[in-house]
Amino acid sequence: AHILAVIDSYFNNSDGSGNMFAPSFEGQQRLWRGLLGGEPNAGNLPDVVKVHGTSTPLGDAIELFSVVNVMGRHPFHISAPKSQYGHMLGAAGAVEFVNAVLMLREQTVSPCLNSENLHAELEAFQQESSWQGSREPIAAYRDILPQMPLKKEINRIVCLNY
C-alpha cells in the first residue's frame, strides 16, 4: 500500500472559556501547544496550520492570533478549508482530514477564501489592557493567509478538525 500520510499525534481540547460560542485566546493556545506536543521547536513546527476558520469575526481573529502567538512567525501558511466548503458539522473533521492529505500529496496549501479585506486596525479586544496577544492588526499577517492555492514543500500539517 502507498502511504499518503501519517497521524503522528492527537490532542483534544475545548476553547476553554466555558462558552462554546465565544472562543478564548487561552484555550486556543492550549490547543495549538497540545497539537505540537508542547512548546514549539525546530522539530515540531508545521509547514501548514489548518484552522477552524468559519468566518466569524471574533473566532477567526482569536484563532489567528493564538496560532501566531504559539508558533511565532516562522515560514508557515494557514489554510481554512471551511472557507471553501462551509461547515459540514459532523462531516467536517473527515472532509478536512482528506483536504490535509491532498495538500500533502499535491504540495499545495489550500487557500483561505474570502480573506481579501483584513482589518488594518486593531480589534476591540486587542485594545483591552488584559489582552496578552499580538498588538498588530490582522492585516499584518496577510503573508501567511493565501487567497489562492499556494505551491510549496509541505512535510508537516497541524490540523484542527471539527
Side-chain angles (χ1 to χ4, degrees):
H2 178 69
I3 297 171
L4 299 175
V6 173
I7 299 172
D8 64 2
S9 66
Y10 169 83
F11 186 77
N12 192 357
N13 185 47
S14 74
D15 283 345
S17 68
N19 181 346
M20 68 182 277
F21 301 108
S24 82
F25 183 66
E26 295 79 15
Q28 287 284 314
Q29 289 182 96
R30 278 193 304 276
L31 171 72
W32 297 113
R33 283 191 183 96
L35 287 169
L36 292 176
E39 290 298 319
N41 62 61
N44 70 359
L45 290 172
D47 303 301
V48 178
V49 177
K50 197 187 68 47
V51 298
H52 192 203
T54 55
S55 298
T56 59
L58 175 63
D60 286 0
I62 291 288
E63 190 169 34
L64 172 65
F65 293 135
S66 68
V67 167
V68 171
N69 200 59
V70 169
M71 298 189 200
R73 289 299 295 248
H74 83 91
F76 65 88
H77 287 91
I78 290 180
S79 175
K82 285 184 189 78
S83 70
Q84 300 158 53
Y85 315 130
H87 200 312
M88 293 168 278
L89 303 175
V95 170
E96 291 196 23
F97 177 73
V98 170
N99 178 268
V101 172
L102 290 172
M103 282 193 284
L104 281 168
R105 187 183 78 186
E106 301 299 320
Q107 295 290 287
T108 303
V109 180
S110 295
C112 296
L113 299 181
N114 306 314
S115 63
E116 306 84 23
N117 301 317
L118 301 178
H119 294 165
E121 59 282 333
L122 294 179
E123 304 297 314
F125 61 83
Q126 287 181 284
Q127 298 174 39
E128 296 175 11
S129 61
S130 60
W131 174 247
Q132 298 295 309
S134 173
R135 295 287 180 184
E136 294 183 278
I138 291 176
Y141 302 100
R142 160 58 56 221
D143 60 315
I144 63 173
L145 299 166
Q147 294 176 39
M148 301 292 294
L150 175 70
K151 284 287 209 185
K152 72 177 273 185
E153 182 178 346
I154 301 173
N155 296 302
R156 186 158 197 248
I157 299 174
V158 174
C159 301
L160 172 62
N161 286 344
Y162 65 90

